[in-house]
Amino acid sequence: MSEDKRKQDVNMKRWVRRALKAQEMVLKLEEKNESLQEQHQNQDVIIANLDEHMDHLLSIEQTLSSEKKKMQKEKQNVRLLKLYVIMYK
């Protein structure tokens, strides 16, 4: 085998090894990308659930606030009734 042919074979083997390594890296990066996309989707689901829970908690807070106001009005009405009863006994 001539020296040039041997050099070509060595170079070709190097390029094949480099190409295989590059292909392996691409496959690993694709796997990593898929994993990250899955994590991102899972995080989106978690955020959506948290938003839903937050909305529910805000609704509960509004209901409690409304109930508190009603109770305060009722308490005031009871006081007024007591005063009325005392005044007109």
Side-chain angles (χ1 to χ4, degrees):
M1 196 183 275
S2 72
E3 185 66 24
D4 286 339
K5 179 72 172 151
R6 191 185 69 71
K7 284 182 181 179
Q8 282 180 340
D9 285 349
V10 169
N11 280 334
M12 184 61 74
K13 287 178 184 176
R14 271 193 205 132
W15 281 109
V16 168
R17 281 193 306 269
R18 288 177 184 166
L20 289 173
K21 239 182 201 180
Q23 189 177 17
E24 286 176 21
M25 289 175 64
V26 167
L27 290 174
K28 286 180 184 177
L29 288 172
E30 285 175 346
E31 288 174 6
K32 180 72 173 176
N33 187 37
E34 286 176 19
S35 173
L36 290 172
Q37 285 178 344
E38 188 175 307
Q39 287 176 6
H40 185 262
Q41 289 171 348
N42 290 338
Q43 288 172 350
D44 283 347
V45 168
I46 290 169
I47 289 169
N49 287 337
L50 288 172
D51 283 344
E52 194 175 305
H53 288 297
M54 190 64 160
D55 289 344
H56 182 67
L57 290 173
L58 288 172
S59 173
I60 291 171
E61 181 183 35
Q62 288 173 346
T63 302
L64 289 173
S65 177
S66 174
E67 288 298 316
K68 181 180 177 184
K69 287 177 184 177
K70 285 179 188 177
M71 293 296 288
Q72 288 171 339
K73 285 181 183 178
E74 187 68 28
K75 189 177 177 181
Q76 184 66 26
N77 288 339
V78 168
R79 284 182 184 154
L80 288 174
L81 273 172
K82 284 180 180 178
L83 273 175
Y84 180 79
V85 168
I86 290 171
M87 287 176 66
Y88 293 100
K89 265 190 174 181

